[in-house]
């Protein structure tokens, strides 16, 4: 925290010397976000909101969304701990889970619109659509995100699971096998999960 506070002070001093420098303003926002407190994160989002008004740059909107998601994730971690000790906090935890998911669906839908060629946002949107059981929409996004080697295996995994929910067993088997071909760590968690879903698809197909 001391290091984060010193970094914030340094960035404030730099910006005070050059108040029209947007690069320094962004550096201050990053320093504020790294402090991991609602107060500094909210200040960072206010700065970004002002910049967004002036330039309408979608990157500022993206940065605001990142901070909000980070903030809600931290709150969820704390609530999860509290809910284990206090049953009265369970409902608050569930409500925040739903709130974050609703926000992320809107946020990543907008990111796909603003950055249509970025496979990362396609994959992230697909994951949220899968969570709310919008499988057709999820598949559309995973079909795109699987073109990126970074998301290929995970996209195949989700696609296979989508096909399983539709009882399209042949498609699920083919997709999961294709995904496993690109996995280097066969003993890893992702490979094990894909093998489990593949086994399920094979069993249901044979039934």
């Amino acid at each position: 925290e001391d290091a984060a506070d010193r970094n914030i002070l340094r960035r404030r001093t730099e910006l005070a010397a050059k108040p029209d420098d947007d690069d320094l303003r962004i550096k201050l926002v990053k320093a504020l976000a790294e402090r991991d407190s609602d107060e500094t994160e909210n200040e960072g989002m206010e700065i970004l909101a002002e910049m967004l008004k002036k330039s309408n740059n979608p990157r500022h909107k993206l940065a605001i969304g990142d901070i909000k998601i980070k903030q809600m994730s931290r709150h969820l971690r704390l609530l999860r701990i509290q809910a284990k000790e206090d049953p009265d906090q369970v409902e608050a935890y569930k409500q925040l889970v739903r709130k974050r998911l609703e926000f992320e669906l809107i946020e990543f839908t907008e990111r796909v619109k603003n950055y249509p060629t970025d496979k990362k946002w396609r994959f992230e949107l697909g994951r949220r659509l899968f969570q709310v059981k919008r499988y057709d929409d999820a598949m559309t996004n995973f079909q795109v995100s699987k073109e990126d080697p970074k998301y290929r295996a995970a996209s195949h995994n989700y696609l296979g699971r989508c096909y399983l929910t539709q009882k399209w067993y042949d498609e699920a088997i083919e997709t999961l096998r294709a995904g496993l071909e690109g996995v280097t760590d066969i003993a890893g968690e992702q490979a094990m999960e894909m093998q489990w879903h593949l086994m399920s698809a094979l069993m249901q197909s044979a039934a």
Side-chain angles (χ1 to χ4, degrees), residues 76 79 89-102:
L76 277 172
L79 270 176
Q89 294 296 323
V90 172
E91 185 57 35
Y93 173 76
K94 290 180 179 179
Q95 288 180 4
L96 187 53
V97 168
R98 289 192 292 269
K99 181 180 178 181
R100 183 180 67 173
L101 181 55
E102 290 169 0

Side-chain angles (χ1 to χ4, degrees), residues 141-158:
N141 285 280
F142 291 132
Q143 290 286 2
V144 177
S145 64
K146 73 177 184 179
E147 297 172 6
D148 188 327
K150 185 175 180 180
Y151 303 102
R152 183 170 296 148
S155 296
H156 275 90
N157 185 25
Y158 274 109

Side-chain angles (χ1 to χ4, degrees), residues 174-192:
E174 181 182 352
T175 299
L176 290 165
R177 281 177 171 165
L180 281 166
E181 289 176 1
V183 177
T184 54
D185 184 8
I186 296 299
E189 182 178 346
Q190 182 168 254
M192 295 295 288

Side-chain angles (χ1 to χ4, degrees), residues 123-192:
F123 176 73
E124 295 296 346
L125 177 58
R127 284 180 55 207
R128 275 68 180 187
L129 291 167
F130 183 88
Q131 285 181 263
V132 295
K133 300 182 180 181
R134 289 171 55 184
Y135 299 119
D136 288 342
D137 293 332
M139 284 189 285
T140 298
N141 285 280
F142 291 132
Q143 290 286 2
V144 177
S145 64
K146 73 177 184 179
E147 297 172 6
D148 188 327
K150 185 175 180 180
Y151 303 102
R152 183 170 296 148
S155 296
H156 275 90
N157 185 25
Y158 274 109
L159 273 171
R161 293 171 66 184
C162 287
Y163 292 142
L164 275 171
T165 66
Q166 306 297 317
K167 298 183 179 180
W168 299 345
Y169 302 124
D170 290 343
E171 290 85 350
I173 292 167
E174 181 182 352
T175 299
L176 290 165
R177 281 177 171 165
L180 281 166
E181 289 176 1
V183 177
T184 54
D185 184 8
I186 296 299
E189 182 178 346
Q190 182 168 254
M192 295 295 288

